[in-house]
Amino acid sequence: MPIYMDRHEIPDEIKPEHVARMHQEDLKVQHLYGCRGITYWCDSERHTAFCLIEAPNKEAIQRMHNHAHGTLPHHIIEVDTRVVESFLGRIEDPEKSANSELNIIDDPAFRVIMVLHTAEHLHRMEANQLSIFSQKFHRSIAKSIRHFEGSIVQENDKVYLVSFRSVTNAVLCALKILENFKYLFPKVESEFQRLQIGIASGTPVTDQEEIFHESVTKAYQMAEFVKDQIVITTAVKAQYENENRNAIIDPVCIRVLTPNEEIFLGALLSFARKHWNGPKFNIGLMSKMLGYSRSQLYRKIRKLTGKAPNTFIREYRLNKALELLRHQKGNISEIAFESGFSSAPYFTKCFQSTFHILPSKFIQLVK
């Protein structure tokens, strides 16, 4: 049977012991609805609770909760238990305290999400150099994440997705990774030593259908598109200062996006995802759809990404094309036209200018 996670928004007067009793009531009637309560998380500070339940469908979970205590979840999503454990650290109840009637779980599901994004290094190194660099890089990353008690949710040669309980640990881990990266392989040209990190925070179930969807999306967007090397949300900044008695985030080292910048970045990338390979992916439509004049749009995109809008559009298409080439979704001409370029020669020229490698050579390297 599928596994689900639901979210309950609980009133201020409901304490962890009340949530524990509600969980007990669920367990008494769960068999009537074909459900099995696995565990739950209770966050008394943020007044939320999240249940992990095996069930035939979402409706069975709602009926079980309604029968047990009358408190219906605000949202339910289907989840993979391996992913849940990677983000939250457990998929079963903590050990029950001795001499305790209830297993009261006051364990927040709130997490700090870090996305680490690196540039392509394949085109600038011989195979043995790449191997040495990759091994050193990944060992260094893994060591820093372990030291700051992070949990790796996903990883590949380009991207790490990491979950932290502590905002402070996430920020310090990012600073340590960046410090190590700068001295890890000094012979690599500085323009190719690209490492960018985005940090956001949130809870596992919002109104989306994927676990930690909103915070993961924000962290990916900041790491991939904002020009600064470490970027955090305003909420992360406030949480860091709260954890550290109003310690100030150094703006030289860390870029804090304002709420308006977060909204603009989300809108810009939503537009790009929809139109990236079509003829309407241009400044005129972008200006109209986002509600800014061309000059306003230029300033906002430049401030956020460090690029002019035309450069942003071209590089967005090129990065999409690079992924199509990596996964062999067609030949160079087919991918050029699929990515919105008017001709294969122009695509090749832009690709080489941006990635410093011919598309044909890139295909050979990733086969």
Side-chain angles (χ1 to χ4, degrees):
M1 280 198 300
I3 307 293
Y4 297 93
M5 179 174 277
D6 66 20
R7 181 186 86 248
H8 298 262
E9 296 172 11
I10 54 180
D12 294 358
E13 62 271 15
I14 299 296
K15 304 302 179 187
E17 54 266 32
H18 297 136
V19 177
R21 293 191 184 281
M22 291 164 67
H23 180 61
Q24 289 277 12
E25 294 303 313
D26 284 334
L27 299 183
K28 290 178 183 177
V29 302
Q30 61 182 1
H31 64 283
L32 300 175
Y33 303 93
C35 298
R36 181 175 69 90
I38 301 173
T39 189
Y40 72 93
W41 290 260
C42 176
D43 189 340
S44 52
E45 179 182 345
R46 297 174 183 84
H47 310 294
T48 53
F50 302 87
C51 303
L52 189 65
I53 302 166
E54 184 179 43
N57 50 54
K58 296 179 181 181
E59 291 72 22
I61 294 172
Q62 292 173 322
R63 292 197 299 269
M64 178 191 71
H65 283 319
N66 188 45
H67 182 164
H69 42 70
T71 303
L72 295 177
H74 290 81
H75 196 62
I76 306 172
I77 63 172
E78 187 172 347
V79 296
D80 182 326
T81 53
R82 293 169 297 181
V83 176
V84 172
E85 187 169 19
S86 295
F87 274 116
L88 296 174
R90 64 179 179 86
I91 51 171
E92 56 187 23
D93 288 349
E95 287 190 18
K96 184 177 178 181
S97 301
N99 303 317
S100 173
E101 177 189 355
L102 287 173
N103 190 9
I104 299 172
I105 304 173
D106 192 0
D107 179 21
F110 176 87
R111 292 293 183 271
V112 185
I113 307 301
M114 181 175 81
V115 169
L116 183 153
H117 193 277
T118 68
E120 294 289 341
H121 294 279
L122 293 170
H123 51 284
R124 301 302 298 179
M125 303 182 199
E126 299 296 333
N128 62 333
Q129 290 179 303
L130 176 64
S131 176
I132 293 169
F133 176 82
S134 295
Q135 290 172 18
K136 287 183 177 180
F137 174 69
H138 290 293
R139 282 200 299 265
S140 173
I141 295 296
K143 182 178 179 181
S144 295
I145 291 171
R146 285 195 304 270
H147 178 77
F148 289 100
E149 300 178 346
S151 172
I152 297 174
V153 180
Q154 294 176 2
E155 64 175 300
N156 57 39
D157 289 340
K158 287 181 61 180
V159 179
Y160 277 78
L161 173 61
V162 188
S163 171
F164 294 86
R165 284 179 173 268
S166 159
V167 173
T168 300
N169 278 359
V171 171
L172 294 180
C173 183
L175 290 168
K176 183 63 176 176
I177 287 171
L178 184 59
E179 177 189 357
N180 290 344
F181 184 74
K182 289 178 178 178
Y183 301 102
L184 188 60
F185 205 89
K187 291 183 180 179
V188 180
E189 298 96 319
S190 60
E191 67 176 296
F192 301 110
Q193 289 189 10
R194 181 174 175 271
L195 172 67
Q196 292 179 263
I197 298 171
I199 303 176
S201 60
T203 53
V205 183
T206 55
D207 294 330
Q208 303 297 318
E209 294 305 312
E210 296 178 8
I211 188 169
F212 284 103
H213 175 86
E214 291 182 2
S215 47
V216 168
T217 298
K218 281 186 180 180
Y220 266 107
Q221 290 175 344
M222 294 187 297
E224 191 167 0
F225 294 99
V226 180
K227 63 181 179 179
D228 304 82
Q229 288 191 289
I230 300 178
V231 190
I232 66 176
T233 63
T234 299
V236 167
K237 174 181 181 290
Q239 291 149 6
Y240 178 87
E241 292 174 351
N242 183 58
E243 285 186 6
N244 293 278
R245 298 185 179 181
N246 297 318
I248 303 299
I249 291 285
D250 184 355
V252 174
C253 301
I254 298 174
R255 166 86 175 268
V256 181
L257 288 195
T258 67
N260 284 339
E261 286 176 325
E262 292 177 34
I263 293 170
F264 175 76
L265 179 61
L268 174 65
L269 296 177
S270 177
F271 175 86
R273 282 194 301 273
K274 185 176 181 180
H275 297 286
W276 71 273
N277 61 346
K280 294 184 178 180
F281 192 27
N282 56 53
I283 297 178
L285 183 63
M286 189 185 295
S287 174
K288 180 180 177 180
M289 296 298 292
L290 298 182
Y292 298 98
S293 69
R294 287 174 178 257
S295 58
Q296 287 175 319
L297 192 65
Y298 181 93
R299 288 194 299 270
K300 293 180 80 69
I301 293 178
R302 187 84 185 185
K303 181 181 178 183
L304 203 60
T305 69
K307 301 167 185 173
N310 279 328
T311 303
F312 169 81
I313 289 170
R314 184 174 64 251
E315 291 189 1
Y316 191 95
R317 282 175 161 160
L318 286 168
N319 277 291
K320 288 288 190 179
L322 184 142
E323 290 304 313
L324 293 173
L325 289 170
R326 183 194 299 278
H327 295 104
Q328 301 176 33
K329 296 297 184 179
N331 61 39
I332 293 172
S333 294
E334 290 169 339
I335 288 174
F337 290 112
E338 171 65 21
S339 303
F341 287 87
S342 57
S343 71
Y346 178 61
F347 167 73
T348 297
K349 178 182 177 182
C350 293
F351 192 96
Q352 185 175 24
S353 175
T354 300
F355 300 118
H356 304 275
I357 186 174
L358 288 168
S360 55
K361 180 65 174 177
F362 178 80
I363 290 173
Q364 294 174 10
L365 288 172
V366 298
K367 277 185 177 179

